[in-house]
Amino acid sequence: MTSELRVEEFDGVVTVSIDRPNRRNALSRSALRDLAEVLGGDVTRGASGVILTGTAGHFSAGADFADLTGTVEDVGFDDDVAAAVTAIQHCPRPVVAALHGACLGAGADLALACNVRIADSTTYLQVPATRLGILYNPSAVLRMRRSLPADTVARLFLLGERFDADSAQSAGLVSVVVAAGTAVEQAQAMLAPLSIGGRDATAATKALLADPDAGHRAEHWEAVRRELLGSDARRRAVEQAHARHTTHEGQGTE
């Protein structure tokens, strides 16, 4: 693995930071491959949640132009972005993007693949592909068309509009806007209550939400639900909840 990513763990939450401050965290092909490797590895499977962010005041300025040729060969870069997006989607833990500063192009693609996006007030989000003579990866455009309002997708990809934090929230691109410099802290607070003991249920719920054919696979998802209902982890969770409830009832009030 290169030094372009920083991976840290605190209280069961793994923070993966794009760490190329001299390039505003522009994404090289090696950084994208490392990101896919980390998100698909044991470090995230053992966590309760994952935060994806960038260092030094920016999430990511998008593609590193040093890795682009300006020719059809750049489809290889698109493939690396798509592999990182797939790793985010297939990571069994909730992935929260903590955004600040630039969130551009491929960086925006990664952020929009996350389950939740927390943007601080310095965030600006843009995909200027058409301005660079590019049809952005069709699979990414179609993925976002399924999850975002049609006018938001047109503004993002067709017009290449730049969204500040508040307009991004109004357009459905980010979930929450927070004070400058607090996005990672807010993401940590959001993920901290998740129990590592409930990670099988969390993974199943994330997979259900991401399944485009879930409506036609009711029998499969019912089988998953029943398996979890009968699991040792669920039994222990119910026992612990019952013990807490009994303790609180026994305390009473004066």
Side-chain angles (χ1 to χ4, degrees):
M1 182 177 297
T2 69
S3 60
E4 297 175 339
L5 295 183
R6 182 188 302 171
V7 181
E8 302 165 298
E9 187 274 335
F10 175 74
D11 199 22
V13 175
V14 171
T15 300
V16 181
S17 303
I18 307 164
D19 190 22
R20 305 186 74 208
N22 60 323
R23 306 282 291 176
R24 291 196 304 161
N25 299 326
L27 294 160
S28 66
R29 296 189 67 176
S30 59
L32 288 165
R33 291 167 181 167
D34 286 350
L35 180 61
E37 181 181 345
V38 167
L39 291 172
D42 291 339
V43 66
T44 56
R45 281 194 289 270
S48 57
V50 178
I51 299 169
L52 180 61
T53 192
T55 63
H58 294 285
F59 182 74
S60 173
D64 186 343
F65 283 89
D67 273 12
L68 300 180
T69 65
T71 72
V72 70
E73 297 301 320
D74 290 337
V75 71
F77 182 88
D78 292 347
D79 291 342
D80 287 338
V81 175
V85 164
T86 297
I88 291 170
Q89 294 174 317
H90 289 182
C91 176
R93 306 293 162 247
V95 182
V96 176
L99 308 178
H100 42 208
C103 181
L104 307 179
D109 196 347
L110 297 182
L112 290 166
C114 295
N115 300 109
V116 178
R117 285 157 296 285
I118 299 176
D120 86 2
S121 58
T122 69
T123 301
Y124 53 99
L125 189 150
Q126 185 179 24
V127 182
T130 55
R131 301 184 183 192
L132 296 171
I134 298 169
L135 170 64
Y136 200 80
N137 190 338
S139 63
V141 176
L142 294 175
R143 183 186 83 241
M144 293 180 212
R145 192 176 72 175
R146 290 192 295 268
S147 60
L148 293 169
D151 66 324
T152 296
V153 176
R155 292 165 66 191
L156 187 66
F157 290 104
L158 183 61
L159 303 181
E161 182 176 336
R162 173 168 160 161
F163 295 81
D164 63 19
D166 290 332
S167 62
Q169 184 179 31
S170 297
L173 294 168
V174 303
S175 315
V176 182
V177 176
V178 298
T182 67
V184 172
E185 176 186 345
Q186 295 292 333
Q188 184 82 32
M190 180 179 286
L191 291 171
L194 296 180
S195 168
I196 291 178
R199 58 191 179 188
D200 290 342
T202 301
T205 302
K206 180 171 179 177
L208 171 61
L209 291 172
D211 185 355
D213 297 318
H216 302 289
R217 294 180 357 112
E219 186 174 328
H220 165 76
W221 288 111
E222 178 61 22
V224 172
R225 185 173 78 98
R226 289 180 175 272
E227 181 179 353
L228 287 169
L229 282 171
S231 68
D232 289 340
R234 193 256 177 171
R235 176 183 53 78
R236 288 192 296 270
V238 171
E239 289 174 350
Q240 291 167 2
H242 178 70
R244 289 194 299 270
H245 180 71
T246 301
T247 300
H248 292 159
E249 279 190 336
Q251 289 174 346
T253 56
E254 291 293 329

